[in-house]
Amino acid sequence: MQTKVTKAIFPVAGLGTRFLPATKSIPKEIMTLVDRPLIQYAIDEAREAGITEFIFVTSRGKGALEDYFDHAPQLEAELLKKGKTELLELLKNTNMESGTIAYIRQHKALGLGHAVWCARRLIGNEPFAVILPDDVISAEKSCLKQMVDAYQDVGGSMVAAMEVPQDKTCCYGILNIGQQDDNLLAVNGMVEKPAPGYEPSNFAVIGRYILTPNIFMHIENQKFGSGGEIQLTDAIANEVTLGNAVNGLRFEGQRFDCGTKAGFLQATISFALARHDLRDELTAYLNELVSVAKAAQ
Ligand code: UTP
């Protein structure tokens, strides 16, 4: 029986340069897929997986993110007065219990590994999850819940894994894998953004992790890695070197890279098409666009 994973770190201190100029004043995680901010998807996924403590690693300019989690009694009273019960319910579902959220500052954007390390004192000596909100995963059973369930059986550390085309491996942390047991991949090593031709497989790490506090020791002793940043991938690779179990879970679901414009637009369309109130109008519009494009060819 493994220790239950109840804490999750949400590293949101990055600069979000790929969404400039928007991210000059709006945190990337507040940007919305249809009508829900990216961070709400991440929180819902964590809650489904049994997380009860939410730790945000933030930076300058992320105030809107903290405000988002404040309760809105005035707005709630107004909706109640107007009998807008559905909206009221929607709003209430975003409320977080007092004392369950903590914010810690990353003073310099030194990389994802460093951001996770900043939360070490809030984690203490127990396993924890890390969720990158710009990786949005649409799945029947949420990706983190799939991981927590698998972790209950095998323990150790775990990363979400997904096959990517060969020519895209240079954009990800890539797994060197050993034995495969159904969806579980034994990890023999990891390399961040391998040069083309040097990728150990085409299994990429996606932004969901279950880690042990060992990781903080690795990060502490670590040098700057790929891109001049302190990489979480390097720290997990050290865990493998020490002989501690690390597994990749090939999760079921569709992943959208909402850290890129193309991925964000694809997610927006996909989530909108899944909505009863938007599907018909949007489908008609998309069909019209396609026929206009075809006619112009
Ligand atoms: P990204 O690599 O997407 O970087 O970080 P970014 O700054 O958010 O965006 P770009 O590349 O400039 O457009 C992946 C995740 O790690 C967090 C980010 O906030 C994001 O959730 N991160 C990254 C930190 O918290 N601190 C860092 O120093 C770097």
Side-chain angles (χ1 to χ4, degrees), residues 11-19 28-29 57 62 106 108-112 115 132-134 229 259:
V12 293
L15 300 173
T17 53
R18 285 171 288 179
F19 280 95
K28 179 169 65 174
E29 301 73 24
V57 181
K62 300 280 178 172
Q106 185 189 26
K108 253 184 174 179
L110 294 178
L112 176 59
L132 306 191
D134 46 11
E229 296 192 334

Side-chain angles (χ1 to χ4, degrees), residues 70-132:
D70 278 346
H71 291 205
Q74 237 176 338
L75 194 54
E76 285 181 16
E78 199 59 29
L79 292 174
L80 186 68
K81 203 166 86 190
K82 292 190 171 145
K84 297 192 172 178
T85 46
E86 238 176 81
L87 280 180
L88 184 61
E89 207 45 43
L90 190 93
L91 199 63
K92 281 190 169 166
N93 282 337
T94 66
N95 285 349
M96 305 288 285
E97 221 180 292
S98 295
T100 59
I101 305 190
Y103 302 97
I104 192 116
R105 203 85 156 188
Q106 185 189 26
H107 294 105
K108 253 184 174 179
L110 294 178
L112 176 59
H114 181 261
V116 168
W117 179 77
C118 289
R120 65 199 179 282
R121 291 206 172 85
L122 296 173
I123 293 295
N125 193 25
E126 53 186 287
F128 61 97
V130 176
I131 296 188
L132 306 191

Side-chain angles (χ1 to χ4, degrees), residues 51-234:
I51 300 296
T52 50
E53 290 184 54
F54 306 82
I55 301 163
F56 290 87
V57 181
T58 66
S59 58
R60 185 186 296 268
K62 300 280 178 172
L65 193 74
E66 297 192 22
D67 291 348
Y68 176 77
F69 290 113
D70 278 346
H71 291 205
Q74 237 176 338
L75 194 54
E76 285 181 16
E78 199 59 29
L79 292 174
L80 186 68
K81 203 166 86 190
K82 292 190 171 145
K84 297 192 172 178
T85 46
E86 238 176 81
L87 280 180
L88 184 61
E89 207 45 43
L90 190 93
L91 199 63
K92 281 190 169 166
N93 282 337
T94 66
N95 285 349
M96 305 288 285
E97 221 180 292
S98 295
T100 59
I101 305 190
Y103 302 97
I104 192 116
R105 203 85 156 188
Q106 185 189 26
H107 294 105
K108 253 184 174 179
L110 294 178
L112 176 59
H114 181 261
V116 168
W117 179 77
C118 289
R120 65 199 179 282
R121 291 206 172 85
L122 296 173
I123 293 295
N125 193 25
E126 53 186 287
F128 61 97
V130 176
I131 296 188
L132 306 191
D134 46 11
D135 267 333
V136 176
I137 300 170
S138 155
E140 216 159 280
K141 181 184 189 180
S142 83
C143 177
L144 189 64
K145 171 78 176 133
Q146 293 174 45
M147 291 173 71
V148 163
D149 288 351
Y151 166 83
Q152 278 306 321
D153 292 334
V154 297
S157 303
M158 191 173 283
V159 298
M162 181 181 101
E163 281 189 272
V164 296
Q166 200 83 19
D167 63 338
K168 293 280 186 295
T169 51
C170 55
C171 306
Y172 294 90
I174 298 293
L175 298 177
N176 183 350
I177 54 167
Q179 203 182 327
Q180 294 192 38
D181 182 5
D182 201 9
N183 284 340
L184 209 62
L185 316 168
V187 175
N188 289 339
M190 276 169 89
V191 34
E192 184 64 31
K193 301 189 176 67
Y198 288 90
E199 59 280 351
S201 75
N202 63 340
F203 281 104
V205 177
I206 301 305
R208 305 287 183 275
Y209 309 78
I210 295 175
L211 301 171
T212 74
N214 264 357
I215 210 74
F216 298 126
M217 170 190 76
H218 297 307
I219 298 171
E220 216 153 280
N221 296 327
Q222 209 165 294
K223 298 199 172 59
F224 290 91
S226 165
E229 296 192 334
I230 296 186
Q231 297 288 353
L232 187 58
T233 309
D234 295 342

